[in-house]
């Protein structure tokens, strides 16, 4: 069982930038990014470039790890092994989702409007 993932350099930079502008911690930003990625029915690309932020599984998913795994399994529409779930698929969704989150922030132009836009999104 893998307990760490490493993001791409670009995602690491996006996390740092979004944390500085929103005041949200990287783990909260990552969870929002994961949710945004799961809205897209296509499978995200696996991460090849892993030279960014090092993330501990427990800090990311904590006691709700089984929920995150169930969401990713449901999205993939198949059984996903623990090794595939974390770090591979989790990281792939994080990578895609952080780009979506950054775009949402740029569109909103501020933290309050970002939150309102996220709340208004349809499931």
């Amino acid at each position: 069982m893998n307990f760490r993932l490493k993001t791409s350099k670009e995602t690491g930079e996006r996390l740092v930038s979004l944390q500085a502008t929103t005041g949200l911690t990287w783990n909260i930003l990552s969870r929002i990014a994961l949710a945004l990625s799961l809205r897209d029915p296509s499978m995200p690309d696996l991460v090849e470039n892993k030279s960014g932020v090092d993330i501990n599984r427990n800090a990311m998913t904590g006691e709700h790890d089984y929920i995150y795994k169930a969401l990713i399994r449901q999205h993939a529409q198949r059984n996903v092994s623990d090794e595939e779930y974390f770090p591979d698929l989790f990281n792939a969704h994080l990578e895609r989702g952080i780009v979506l989150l950054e775009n949402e922030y740029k569109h909103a132009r501020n933290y309050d409007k970002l939150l309102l836009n996220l709340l208004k999104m349809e499931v």
Side-chain angles (χ1 to χ4, degrees), residues 103-114 117:
N103 289 339
E104 285 295 325
Y105 184 79
K106 286 178 182 176
H107 175 73
R109 295 192 191 113
N110 69 54
Y111 173 72
D112 293 332
K113 194 168 178 184
L114 170 68
N117 291 348

Side-chain angles (χ1 to χ4, degrees), residues 37-61:
S37 177
L38 289 170
R39 294 180 72 226
D40 183 338
S42 68
M43 287 299 288
D45 296 329
L46 294 178
V47 179
E48 299 297 326
N49 166 10
K50 298 178 182 176
S51 59
V53 177
D54 192 32
I55 298 176
N56 182 294
R57 181 174 179 167
N58 193 45
M60 181 61 65
T61 63

Side-chain angles (χ1 to χ4, degrees), residues 10-100:
E10 295 79 15
T11 292
E13 291 169 354
R14 285 181 176 107
L15 282 169
V16 169
S17 174
L18 284 168
Q19 184 173 359
T21 56
T22 65
L24 296 172
T25 60
W26 59 264
N27 53 341
I28 293 171
L29 292 166
S30 297
R31 292 175 191 140
I32 295 169
L34 180 77
L36 290 174
S37 177
L38 289 170
R39 294 180 72 226
D40 183 338
S42 68
M43 287 299 288
D45 296 329
L46 294 178
V47 179
E48 299 297 326
N49 166 10
K50 298 178 182 176
S51 59
V53 177
D54 192 32
I55 298 176
N56 182 294
R57 181 174 179 167
N58 193 45
M60 181 61 65
T61 63
E63 64 187 38
H64 304 293
D65 189 64
Y66 67 97
I67 294 173
Y68 290 101
K69 186 174 182 182
L71 289 169
I72 288 175
R73 283 172 122 175
Q74 184 173 356
H75 181 272
Q77 298 181 352
R78 63 181 174 81
N79 190 16
V80 173
S81 70
D82 198 58
E83 291 75 24
E84 186 180 11
Y85 154 64
F86 201 97
D88 295 339
L89 289 176
F90 195 100
N91 201 4
H93 280 288
L94 172 60
E95 293 281 326
R96 177 169 68 183
I98 204 70
V99 171
L100 296 170

